[in-house]
């Protein structure tokens, strides 16, 4: 029994290393540019170990997206405060992930490479959009959303905006972070979505994380 637990733990650790290595490769080279050899090198695993867990590169990418989805839902569930504060903090959570988490960065790259990754496969953009809409619906249920705001439309626009800002920042300055843009959005446009009274007690500013 003890040996079985050790074996299972090692298999879990190996799989996690593969996902991290694959995420780094996808984030840097994209799905088409990342090779199995690159994933093996970054993961520090043998070909036999990689193919024990996954049959194809597509399956590896699917697993990266699944890991991201699980992490994102757990992280959002842990956000505290009012529905409006949670929505604001979700933006900063996304910033942190895009800046520091290889799996988050990989999902952003895969989101714009549907033609190479494969139509009909899981889409990270859809997860972000769904999560944003759920949080906007919570704000609406609390009576804090302005009348006439379509949560589905706004969720799509916000998700696309954050992804676009991330890609633009990476192209011009790989070390830049999106925290300032998120803060500016809520400072200048927050009142168009959320009732002013609901924004009054919300902390909109976050300090830029240090390296």
């Amino acid at each position: 029994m003890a040996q079985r637990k050790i074996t299972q733990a090692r298999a879990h650790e190996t799989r996690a290393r593969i996902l991290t290595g694959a995420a780094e490769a996808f984030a840097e080279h994209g799905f088409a540019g990342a090779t199995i050899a690159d994933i093996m090198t970054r993961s520090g695993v043998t070909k036999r170990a990689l193919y024990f867990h996954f049959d194809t590169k597509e399956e590896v990418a699917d697993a990266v997206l699944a890991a991201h989805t699980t992490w994102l839902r757990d992280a959002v569930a842990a956000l505290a405060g009012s529905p409006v504060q949670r929505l604001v903090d979700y933006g900063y959570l996304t910033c942190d992930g895009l800046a520091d988490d290889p799996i988050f960065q990989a999902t952003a790259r895969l989101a714009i490479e549907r033609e190479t990754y494969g139509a009909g496969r899981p889409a990270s953009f859809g997860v972000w959009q769904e999560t944003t809409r759920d949080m906007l619906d919570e704000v609406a249920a609390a009576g804090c959303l302005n009348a006439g705001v379509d949560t589905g439309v706004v969720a799509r626009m916000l998700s696309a905006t954050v992804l676009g800002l991330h890609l633009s920042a990476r192209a011009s300055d790989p070390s830049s972070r999106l925290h300032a843009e998120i803060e500016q959005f809520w400072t200048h446009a927050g009142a168009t979505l959320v009732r002013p009274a609901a924004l009054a007690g919300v902390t909109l500013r976050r300090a830029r994380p240090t390296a």
Side-chain angles (χ1 to χ4, degrees):
M1 181 65 71
Q3 183 60 42
R4 181 179 180 183
K5 288 183 178 180
I6 293 174
T7 301
Q8 290 176 337
R10 287 176 178 171
H12 180 77
E13 178 186 0
T14 299
R15 189 177 190 278
R17 286 165 54 195
I18 293 171
L19 293 185
T20 299
E24 292 174 353
F26 292 145
E28 182 174 348
H29 302 296
F31 179 78
T35 65
I36 291 295
D38 189 17
I39 294 172
M40 288 165 47
T41 298
R42 291 171 184 266
S43 305
V45 303
T46 63
K47 180 180 291 189
R48 179 179 179 180
L50 191 149
Y51 281 107
F52 173 81
H53 291 277
F54 304 101
D55 291 331
T56 65
K57 189 169 66 170
E58 284 81 2
E59 285 190 7
V60 179
D62 289 349
V64 168
L65 293 184
H68 168 70
T69 299
T70 298
W71 175 88
L72 183 64
R73 288 174 177 166
D74 290 345
V76 167
L79 293 175
S82 69
V84 178
Q85 186 67 70
R86 282 166 42 82
L87 178 63
V88 172
D89 290 345
Y90 170 58
Y92 290 107
L93 176 73
T94 301
C95 290
D96 293 340
L98 288 171
D100 303 318
D101 182 4
I103 289 184
F104 213 130
Q105 293 167 352
T107 62
R109 183 70 181 265
L110 292 172
I112 61 171
E113 296 193 353
R114 301 296 292 157
E115 71 280 1
T116 56
Y117 177 45
R121 304 190 77 83
S124 53
F125 185 81
V127 174
W128 301 338
Q129 184 175 325
E130 178 183 344
T131 301
T132 305
R133 180 169 186 170
D134 288 344
M135 303 195 77
L136 284 165
D137 286 341
E138 290 180 8
V139 174
C144 298
L145 207 62
N146 284 329
V149 173
D150 187 318
T151 58
V153 171
V154 173
R156 184 172 64 252
M157 292 175 62
L158 289 179
S159 299
T161 297
V162 171
L163 177 58
L165 286 170
H166 165 67
L167 296 175
S168 176
R170 296 293 293 178
S172 59
D173 180 8
S175 66
S176 66
R177 296 174 184 262
L178 303 181
H179 292 73
E181 284 80 359
I182 296 296
E183 180 184 337
Q184 289 173 9
F185 169 81
W186 283 109
T187 299
H188 296 289
T192 65
L193 299 177
V194 178
R195 296 183 185 278
L199 277 176
V202 173
T203 301
L204 302 180
R205 182 182 180 87
R206 286 290 184 278
R208 172 173 172 163
T210 57

